[in-house]
Amino acid sequence: MKSLEELRALREKMKSQTDNRSVAGADETVIKVGMATCGIAAGARPVLDALLDEAEKRQLHNVSISQTGCIGLCRLEPIVEVFKDGQKYTYILMTPEKARKVIVDHVVNGNVCTDYLIGENS
């Protein structure tokens, strides 16, 4: 770092890389699974595994699946956030079966699984 401007440029670059909506391009889907202790205790690990398995089985190369920390709604865990087409969808009380359905219905076919969304079940 030689100047304050270089530091600002680096900050903006890193900020854009961590903003989920900026990471997801027009043809990309970003999926985050809450994997804090509350999520893990509620069964987030099998949900994450199901998402990864289904995406691999379907060879979805435009889908990024990763872990995140506490989302702040512990009573609704496991939680899966899907960032697609500039929108954020928060799926709650997830199971491996529901996770597979989200991949097939929402990610592949574009049909949001409204029964699993936070507004429908909270």
Side-chain angles (χ1 to χ4, degrees), residues 73 76 89-92 113-122:
L73 302 166
L76 302 175
Y89 303 88
T90 303
Y91 290 107
I92 59 170
C113 301
T114 56
D115 291 348
Y116 308 154
L117 288 176
I118 189 167
E120 303 298 319
N121 289 317
S122 53

Side-chain angles (χ1 to χ4, degrees), residues 30-80:
V30 174
I31 300 173
K32 302 280 185 178
V33 180
M35 293 289 289
T37 52
C38 52
I40 293 169
R45 175 76 58 203
V47 169
L48 176 63
D49 292 342
L51 290 166
L52 292 168
D53 289 344
E54 195 66 30
E56 183 179 340
K57 180 174 89 173
R58 295 180 177 278
Q59 298 180 350
L60 301 176
H61 302 293
N62 63 337
V63 176
S64 169
I65 301 171
S66 62
Q67 303 177 66
T68 191
C70 183
I71 296 173
L73 302 166
C74 300
R75 69 182 181 86
L76 302 175
E77 292 284 0
I79 296 175
V80 173

Side-chain angles (χ1 to χ4, degrees), residues 4-21:
L4 184 57
E5 193 55 42
E6 285 182 49
L7 180 61
R8 285 186 182 128
L10 178 62
R11 178 177 155 231
E12 287 305 310
K13 177 183 174 189
M14 298 310 293
K15 184 178 174 185
S16 71
Q17 289 177 353
T18 58
D19 181 13
N20 291 323
R21 285 165 249 195

